[in-house]
Amino acid sequence: MAADLEEKTNRYGELLAAALEEATIAPPEGTPMANAAADCYEMAASYLDDGNHFQEHDDLVNALASFSYGHAWLDAGARVGLFDVPREGHLFTVD
């Protein structure tokens, strides 16, 4: 079971890192929606940092939770139009 948790944690961390690289803020700069997108992006990036910290300290449960929460911020933002994201592939559930 520990190996499964480690593999899943690694996979989710990589997924969040890749999603952060692909997501770009969609609304025009300076608009309230662009500010909301920036906040969501910052939350996702912070959860990636938190997850990496937990992972470095062998706290895989909290690392996995952090990576999952971070990706949820991006995925939800993509679904409501805050981010331009790839519509193909496995990074986002926009379609």
Side-chain angles (χ1 to χ4, degrees):
M1 172 127 169
D4 292 338
L5 178 59
E6 185 174 357
E7 183 278 327
K8 190 171 191 176
T9 302
N10 289 336
R11 186 166 29 100
Y12 277 54
E14 291 167 6
L15 178 74
L16 176 54
L20 281 164
E21 287 183 22
E22 293 293 328
T24 58
I25 293 175
E29 190 174 325
T31 64
M33 293 302 284
N35 293 338
D39 288 345
C40 288
Y41 191 94
E42 183 179 346
M43 288 297 294
S46 293
Y47 274 117
L48 178 62
D49 290 342
D50 290 348
N52 288 333
H53 171 81
F54 288 129
Q55 196 170 28
E56 289 167 7
H57 290 87
D58 295 321
D59 185 351
L60 298 182
V61 170
N62 281 318
L64 179 57
S66 293
F67 295 146
S68 297
Y69 289 146
H71 195 269
W73 278 94
L74 283 182
D75 209 29
R79 287 184 73 77
V80 299
L82 295 178
F83 301 111
D84 287 324
V85 297
R87 299 219 176 265
E88 305 286 324
H90 68 284
L91 294 178
F92 298 94
T93 59
V94 290
D95 287 329

